[in-house]
Amino acid sequence: MEDKTYLEVEQKLYRDLFRKLKDTGKIYNTKKIKQAFHRASVAHQGQKRVSGEPYIIHPVNVAYILINLGMDSACICVALLHDVVEDTEVTLEQIRGEFGSEIAMLVNGLTKLTNLPMSSKEEQRSENILKVLMAMIQDVRVILIKLADRLHNMRTLQFKAPDKQRITALETIEVYAPIANRLGIMTVKEELEDLSIRYLDPIACREIDEALSLKKNEQRTIIESIKARILERLRTYQIEPHIEGRVKSLYGIYSKVYKDGRSFDEVYDIYAVRIIVDTDIDCYNIFGVIHDMFTPIPGRFKDYISTPKPNSYQSLHTTVLGKEGIPFEVQIRTWDMHYMAEYGIAAHWKYKEGVHGKDKLEEQLSWARQLIEAQQDAGEDITHTIKTDLMPDDIYVFTPKGDVKCLPVGSTIVDFAYAIHSAVGNKMIGAKADGKIVSLEYKIKNGQKIEILTTKSISHGPNKEWLSIAKTSEARSKIRAWFKKERREENIVEGKIELEKELRKNYIHLDDEQRQQLIERLCKRYSRTENDLYAAIGYGGIVLAKIMPNIKEDYAKLIKENEIEIDKPELVTTKPKLTGDISVDGIEGCQVKMSQCCNPLPGDEIIGFITRGHGVSIHKKDCINVIHSMSDPEQAGRWIRVNWTSSVAKSYNCTLDIIAHNRDALFADISLILSGMRVPIYEINARQLKNGNAIVIVTIGIQGTEHLKNIIYRLSKINSVISVERTGK
Ligand code: MN
């Protein structure tokens, strides 16, 4: 029954997918897409989305989104296969074998890293974003598929638990929407933002919905009448443009009202009219006509045609007052600009059959390279950098020559100088904003003319404090690059001094040998040589305050290791455990641990040794270490009487060496006897001895010496077994 429904779902998806492909009129590698569909369908069979639907619906919908973006056959295949390696038994090698290395590479870029050792959820998330960015530099299609994947997950987020909804929505608005923005894919960016904000601030969104729905009819009439008037006027100039009216996106309104704190009526561009024409000249001509027809609001005109946004967006924007006194925004652009605005980097595939201008693409992705560098070189938090660096709000400033630079809101003089050129930043000694001297921390405002004052002195370079003044990772990476290159020797000396100071500040005192050990650990941790480590600390590539927790951890390990060496008699497990099985000098519940040198078991005669800081370690009375230690006057006083309590509840680990004439099924017979006695086996190994006999080493759980005796007796009765011995005796 279940299978029949699955088959129906599968067939319907299959038909829809191929109809959609056909409708585009483009040529696809249908054979490969078919193959990918079936592979995914088989692999995901039986898996369900949280919504209860068959899982295959998700990859197919991701494929739909990519078809709409105009992406190629490989992308469609990868969309179908993107969760196969992560969520099913299928391996990347199998995918490579069946679909080739291009598709395997893309799938790998999309497969999350799991089980990263010693990392929090936050760190895992950052590592995964980092992985996607790195894969994206290799092939930008990775991020396009990732965005489509996220978009479908956001469209179906209502099925997830509320806490998951928040985490996903937050990550979407902080990481994926800015990336979509930076790649110029406005359709995806806006939908991601609108979907996210509904989960992050549902009350505000309901307010906006209500306010908009009240005006719905009014809106439509206003937009229609404006469109009609513009068309009529333009016709007299023999221009037949395409005009569309729209209401600003939910998140667009939300940011203006709830983030910038404006009242609903103050939001100018709730209504927007978009005019699309054939040539640049028409854009400027129409712009003149619009300003003639309506009253422009001062300071609201932006020419993104002569100065495109960093994501290549081009258009003329102006806000004007309509007849009724209602302000609206007019966007004027050519068709080419329009496609770029809607599809951004995906337009390369939708309209140009893939990427041709490699250099241009490289340039468009340089931001990703800088993000990765900032994370790897200086441990900057990638999520935070994305939030600040790729923020959709930009400001435009002018050089004295009239060139325009676009920077994120909040950028300082340092950012501006490095945005012009590294050489300008490195030689900067001061700056003027609109003719007045300003400090380097000065936050640049939109439309200002900024002049950077430089020196000719060759030895001049940036100041390390600039690293904290700069807002963009571009400026920071350029500053770090200078320190890295120009000042290596000084950096090494400075780094050494800084580290020493920081250690003292944290009460970490080391002798020479310990210091060397600690440094070795740090070098390993950051995979650098000793001098590179100092140099990195010196130029700020490694920030001491940030790595101090790691240093402390290494220091603690070092101390612990040294301490164990002092307490010679015990080769003990490092994890002390509280146990109620032993009373120390008549007192129960003391912190004790079983020493590993003799591994005492209930029933054995035992004695305790008071360790430094790890409680009492328990040895067998006849343990060789005890005998040695007792004769040492310094340690003799630390031995103490201990006893097993009457009720021993736990199971103890015990290792046995079983020597036998080697034969088939020996291993099996041993396991059979043990499992027959319900003895848990924790580890079992076997190897051949030089004389041809076999040794089987097995670690089992036992209740006490009586229990053990019984086990040894049974094992020694096995055919061909020569001896059974408890180790550590
Ligand atoms: Mn997915």
Side-chain angles (χ1 to χ4, degrees), residues 386-442:
I386 287 177
K387 239 190 308 187
T388 49
D389 261 32
L390 309 183
M391 266 237 291
D393 289 334
D394 297 314
I395 50 168
Y396 286 83
V397 275
F398 298 92
T399 69
K401 282 184 204 151
D403 290 340
V404 187
K405 286 284 152 202
C406 178
L407 293 164
V409 170
S411 293
T412 61
I413 295 289
V414 173
D415 294 299
F416 178 78
Y418 280 94
I420 298 175
H421 200 281
S422 302
V424 174
N426 292 340
K427 297 262 168 277
M428 171 166 63
I429 47 168
K432 285 180 183 174
D434 289 336
K436 280 188 210 125
I437 293 276
V438 290
S439 74
L440 301 186
E441 290 100 329
Y442 180 81

Side-chain angles (χ1 to χ4, degrees), residues 49 55 58-59 62 79 82-83 86-87 146 149-150 153:
R49 295 273 287 170
Y55 195 89
H58 167 63
V62 175
H82 80 272
D83 278 332
E86 195 173 301
D87 296 336
K146 183 76 206 170
D149 178 30
R150 179 51 63 107
N153 285 335

